[in-house]
Amino acid sequence: MRVDLSLLDGEDRLVLNKLREKGEAWIVGGWVRDYLSGINPKELDIATNLKPDEVAEIFPRSILVGEKYGTIKVKIDQPSHEDRIWEVTTLRKDGGYGDGRRPDNVNFGSSIEADLSRRDYTINSIAVDKAGNVIDPHGGIRDLDMGIIRCVGSPKDRIGEDGLRIIRAFRFMELGDKGLREVDKELSEAISSNLKMLDKISRERVWSELKIILSGPNARKIVDTMRAHGVMDKILDGITHSQISGNSTNYSVNLALMCRGDD
C-alpha cells in the first residue's frame, strides 16, 4: 500500500526534506492513522534516525522539551506558520517504566520496525517512508478496517507501562460521523484490571485526554464505555457523575451534563 504524499503541504515537506538531507525520516502516528481511516489528517508526527541534537542543529528554533526521551518540538522560520509545531522523535527502544508513565531509560536505534514495536496500539504503529510506502508490522491496517483498538503485544504489559494509555484507548474510539472503534476483549480486560495505573498520571494529562473525548460527536457513547470499565469512577473519584444527555461537542457542556448529579 502507498500513501499519496501530495496531500502534504509545503511546510510538512520542508521539514521532512531537511531531515532527509542528513538522515532518514518517516511519517508516524495520528496522521497515518487518520489518512488510512478516511479522515482529514492534521498534525504530522515524524520519526527519524537523527539524534535530538542533530535535529536541533537543522531547526535552531526547536523546543527542547522531551529530548531525554528522543522527542523535540520543531519550529521553522516561516512567519505565516509561527504557531505550527512538528513533533520529531528519534527511533528508540524503551527500558522499563518504573513510574508507570515514562521509560526509565531510552536507547536510540536505527530500525523503524523496532521503533513501531514499542508503541501502544497497532493503529498507531504504522509508518510511511519517503516514497509513500506503508510500513505495518503489527496489523494496524487490518485493525483500522475492522474498527478495533488492539495493543502491540501484551495488553497487560502495555497498560502496565503507561497508565495514560487507558484514556488514550477510549480517545481512539472516536471516528466522527463514521461512528466508533471498539476496544478489543483482551485490552478491555487489561484496562478493567489495571485501573490503579491511573493513579500514576497527573490530573493535567488525564484532563487533556478527557477534554478531547468530551469534544467529539460520540462523546456520550465513549463516556458510557469508560463508565462500564470503571474508568470514570477512578478519574472522577468523589464526584457524582452520570450519562451525558444530548449530542453537544462542547467539552464544557458535556462535563457539566456528566457531573450534574442525577443518573
Side-chain angles (χ1 to χ4, degrees), residues 142-161:
R142 174 199 61 202
D143 289 343
L144 285 173
D145 290 342
M146 295 176 63
I148 292 176
I149 302 166
R150 184 170 60 87
C151 282
V152 175
S154 162
K156 182 178 179 181
D157 290 345
R158 295 290 82 80
I159 298 301
E161 291 169 347

Side-chain angles (χ1 to χ4, degrees), residues 26 28 47-49 89-95 97 106-121 124-127 135-138 152-153 158 161 165:
W26 298 262
V28 293
T48 181
N49 63 341
T89 302
T90 303
L91 301 177
R92 73 189 203 200
K93 293 182 179 180
D94 296 339
Y97 285 69
V106 168
N107 296 312
F108 296 138
S110 58
S111 166
I112 183 62
E113 288 81 9
D115 185 82
L116 294 174
S117 295
R118 71 171 177 81
R119 296 174 182 261
D120 51 6
Y121 302 114
N124 293 331
S125 301
I126 311 170
I135 303 167
D136 178 28
H138 300 287
V152 175
R158 295 290 82 80
E161 291 169 347
R165 289 171 175 169

Side-chain angles (χ1 to χ4, degrees), residues 37-50:
S37 299
I39 299 171
N40 183 35
K42 296 179 181 177
E43 295 181 353
L44 189 81
D45 293 336
I46 299 170
T48 181
N49 63 341
L50 298 172

Side-chain angles (χ1 to χ4, degrees), residues 19-252:
L19 290 169
R20 287 167 177 161
E21 288 174 4
K22 301 291 185 179
E24 296 182 85
W26 298 262
I27 304 171
V28 293
W31 193 98
V32 183
R33 182 185 68 244
D34 288 348
Y35 174 89
L36 295 175
S37 299
I39 299 171
N40 183 35
K42 296 179 181 177
E43 295 181 353
L44 189 81
D45 293 336
I46 299 170
T48 181
N49 63 341
L50 298 172
K51 304 297 190 297
D53 60 329
E54 295 175 308
V55 176
E57 287 181 6
I58 299 171
F59 302 101
R61 299 184 65 220
S62 296
I63 303 170
L64 299 178
V65 177
E67 71 271 20
K68 174 182 177 182
Y69 302 102
T71 299
I72 68 173
K73 297 182 182 297
V74 163
K75 299 187 73 173
I76 60 176
D77 292 316
Q78 295 283 348
S80 61
H81 288 79
E82 179 65 27
D83 296 330
R84 280 199 70 182
I85 290 176
W86 289 260
E87 191 168 280
V88 178
T89 302
T90 303
L91 301 177
R92 73 189 203 200
K93 293 182 179 180
D94 296 339
Y97 285 69
D99 67 354
R101 178 65 187 97
R102 295 191 179 280
D104 299 329
N105 56 78
V106 168
N107 296 312
F108 296 138
S110 58
S111 166
I112 183 62
E113 288 81 9
D115 185 82
L116 294 174
S117 295
R118 71 171 177 81
R119 296 174 182 261
D120 51 6
Y121 302 114
T122 61
I123 60 175
N124 293 331
S125 301
I126 311 170
V128 176
D129 67 16
K130 63 182 180 181
N133 298 308
V134 174
I135 303 167
D136 178 28
H138 300 287
I141 294 174
R142 174 199 61 202
D143 289 343
L144 285 173
D145 290 342
M146 295 176 63
I148 292 176
I149 302 166
R150 184 170 60 87
C151 282
V152 175
S154 162
K156 182 178 179 181
D157 290 345
R158 295 290 82 80
I159 298 301
E161 291 169 347
D162 181 358
L164 191 65
R165 289 171 175 169
I166 292 175
I167 310 296
R168 282 168 56 83
F170 296 107
R171 172 158 70 85
F172 296 138
M173 289 178 64
E174 182 64 74
L175 278 171
D177 60 7
K178 296 179 181 291
L180 292 170
R181 296 188 181 99
E182 295 183 2
V183 176
D184 91 323
K185 181 179 179 180
E186 290 186 5
L187 174 56
S188 176
E189 292 172 352
I191 289 172
S192 296
S193 60
N194 287 279
L195 294 176
K196 63 183 182 297
M197 290 300 300
L198 290 168
D199 294 332
K200 300 178 181 291
I201 310 305
S202 72
R203 291 295 181 180
E204 292 79 10
R205 291 298 290 126
V206 171
W207 170 240
S208 69
E209 295 289 332
L210 184 59
K211 181 178 177 180
I212 297 171
I213 291 170
L214 293 176
S215 299
N218 294 294
R220 179 179 60 81
K221 293 179 180 179
I222 295 175
V223 167
D224 285 348
T225 305
M226 295 172 72
R227 294 180 78 203
H229 283 79
V231 173
M232 299 309 298
D233 284 337
K234 190 69 174 176
I235 64 177
L236 296 178
D237 185 28
I239 300 175
T240 301
H241 57 88
S242 61
Q243 290 182 315
I244 297 172
S245 57
N247 297 296
S248 175
T249 55
N250 184 308
Y251 69 86
S252 296

